[in-house]
C-alpha cells in the first residue's frame, strides 16, 4: 500500500472516531434524566401558611395577619428568625426551608409563604436556592424590597457600622438581589406582590415590583389609602389581598376594595 493511501485511511479513521465520540456524547446527554418543571404543587390543595418576618425578626406585626388567616380555616405559623433577624439572609432561608420540609414531612401537600418586607426577599432566595417552587403553592410578599431599598444603600455608605449583614444584602446591586433576578423567581410559581405608595422603608416603593409576579399597589385597590410600611401586615385591605393571594384558583383581584378585598 502506498504511503499516500495509508495517510488517507488514517485520516478517515480519525474522522470516524470523532463522529462516534460526538454521537455518543449526544446520546448520553439525551438519556440523562430531566427535571419535570411542571411537577408543582396542586393549586386546589392548599396546605399551611408560613409567615416570614422582616428585617429585625419581629413576629408581632404578623400575628394579627396569621390570626386572620387562621379564622378562614387555614393553619398559619409565624416563623422565628435566627438571632435578631439582621444577620445573613441565608440563615433565614434555612429557617424557612426547615419549616417547609417539616410541614411536608407531616403530610401537607404544600405550603403557602407570606413574606413581609425582607421576609419576601428570604422567600425569593428560598425559591431560587432550595427549589421552593416545588414545595410552595403560592408566595405573597408585603412591601418587600425585591429590587433593593435605597435606605439600605444610604446606610451602608454613610453609616456602615449601623448596617449589618442583612442591611447590606438589601441594598440595590447586592449579590443576593442579583441572584433573585437571575432565578426569575416571580415566574417560578404564582406570586402576589403587595406594596404601598406610602412606603418609607422599602424605597422607592415600586422596588416590590417583580417580573412574572402579580404586582398590586394598595392605592390601586383603595384610592387615597394611607398605609405605611409598618402598617402593611395589619391593614384590613392588605389582609384581604393576602387572603385572595392564598386562595384556590387563579389570583383574582377583581372587585377588591377598601377594607374588603377578600369579599
Amino acid at each position: 500500500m502506498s504511503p499516500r493511501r495509508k495517510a488517507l485511511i488514517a485520516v478517515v479513521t480519525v474522522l470516524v472516531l470523532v463522529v462516534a465520540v460526538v454521537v455518543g456524547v449526544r446520546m448520553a446527554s439525551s438519556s440523562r434524566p430531566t427535571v419535570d418543571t411542571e411537577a408543582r404543587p396542586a393549586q386546589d390543595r392548599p396546605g399551611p401558611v408560613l409567615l416570614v418576618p422582616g428585617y429585625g425578626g419581629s413576629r408581632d406585626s404578623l400575628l394579627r395577619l396569621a390570626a386572620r388567616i387562621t379564622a378562614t380555616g387555614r393553619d398559619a405559623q409565624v416563623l422565628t428568625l435566627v438571632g435578631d433577624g439582621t444577620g445573613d439572609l441565608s440563615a433565614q432561608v434555612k429557617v424557612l426551608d426547615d419549616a417547609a420540609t417539616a410541614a411536608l414531612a407531616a403530610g401537607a401537600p404544600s405550603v403557602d409563604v407570606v413574606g413581609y418586607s425582607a421576609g419576601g426577599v428570604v422567600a425569593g432566595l428560598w425559591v431560587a436556592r432550595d427549589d421552593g417552587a416545588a414545595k410552595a403553592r403560592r408566595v405573597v410578599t408585603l412591601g418587600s424590597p425585591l429590587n433593593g431599598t435605597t435606605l439600605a444603600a444610604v446606610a451602608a455608605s454613610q453609616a456602615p457600622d449601623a448596617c449589618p449583614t442583612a442591611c447590606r444584602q438589601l441594598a440595590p446591586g447586592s449579590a443576593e438581589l442579583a441572584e433573585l433576578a437571575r432565578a426569575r423567581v416571580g415566574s417560578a410559581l404564582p406570586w402576589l406582590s403587595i406594596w404601598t405608595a406610602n412606603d418609607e422603608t422599602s424605597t422607592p416603593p415600586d422596588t416590590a415590583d417583580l417580573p412574572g409576579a402579580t404586582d398590586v399597589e394598595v392605592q390601586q385597590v383603595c384610592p387615597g389609602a394611607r398605609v405605611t410600611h409598618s402598617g402593611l401586615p395589619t391593614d384590613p385591605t392588605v389582609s384581604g389581598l393576602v387572603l385572595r393571594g392564598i386562595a384556590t384558583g387563579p389570583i383574582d383581584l377583581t372587585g377588591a376594595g377598601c377594607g374588603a378585598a377578600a369579599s
Side-chain angles (χ1 to χ4, degrees):
M1 185 181 295
S2 68
R4 188 172 183 179
R5 186 174 180 81
K6 288 181 179 179
L8 179 60
I9 292 175
V11 169
V12 171
T13 301
V14 169
L15 289 175
V16 169
L17 289 174
V18 169
V19 171
V21 169
V22 171
V23 171
V25 168
R26 289 181 177 176
M27 290 182 66
S29 298
S30 63
S31 64
R32 290 172 186 161
T34 56
V35 177
D36 183 6
T37 57
E38 299 302 320
R40 299 305 189 198
Q43 293 298 305
D44 60 349
R45 296 182 60 213
V49 183
L50 305 177
L51 294 90
V52 187
Y55 181 82
S58 175
R59 302 172 69 250
D60 295 345
S61 62
L62 289 175
L63 292 176
R64 282 177 56 183
L65 180 57
R68 182 81 171 85
I69 295 170
T70 302
T72 68
R74 299 282 298 277
D75 290 330
Q77 174 189 356
V78 181
L79 302 184
T80 300
L81 301 185
V82 175
D84 60 1
T86 64
D88 193 333
L89 294 179
S90 295
Q92 320 310 343
V93 172
K94 185 178 186 305
V95 170
L96 174 55
D97 191 54
D98 287 348
T101 299
L104 296 176
S110 63
V111 296
D112 287 346
V113 177
V114 177
Y116 168 50
S117 192
V121 177
V122 170
L125 291 172
W126 174 63
V127 171
R129 297 175 180 178
D130 296 307
D131 196 15
K135 306 168 188 176
R137 190 185 64 102
R138 303 276 178 91
V139 170
V140 177
T141 49
L142 311 178
S144 294
L146 300 168
N147 298 286
T149 170
T150 56
L151 193 67
V154 171
S157 63
Q158 297 187 6
D161 291 341
C163 186
T165 303
C167 170
R168 297 192 297 272
Q169 292 172 331
L170 295 173
S174 74
E176 289 72 21
L177 297 175
E179 184 179 352
L180 289 189
R182 286 195 305 271
R184 298 184 57 80
V185 295
S187 301
L189 74 171
W191 187 307
L192 176 63
S193 177
I194 304 167
W195 57 279
T196 173
N198 307 127
D199 202 314
E200 73 290 359
T201 300
S202 291
T203 54
D206 63 2
T207 183
D209 281 346
L210 184 67
T214 299
D215 298 302
V216 58
E217 178 188 334
V218 174
Q219 287 73 22
Q220 292 175 335
V221 173
C222 185
R226 298 289 302 177
V227 184
T228 63
H229 183 81
S230 61
L232 281 165
T234 56
D235 181 78
T237 300
V238 174
S239 297
L241 289 171
V242 171
L243 294 181
R244 284 176 177 260
I246 60 174
T248 56
I251 296 175
D252 182 11
L253 305 181
T254 304
C258 297
S263 61

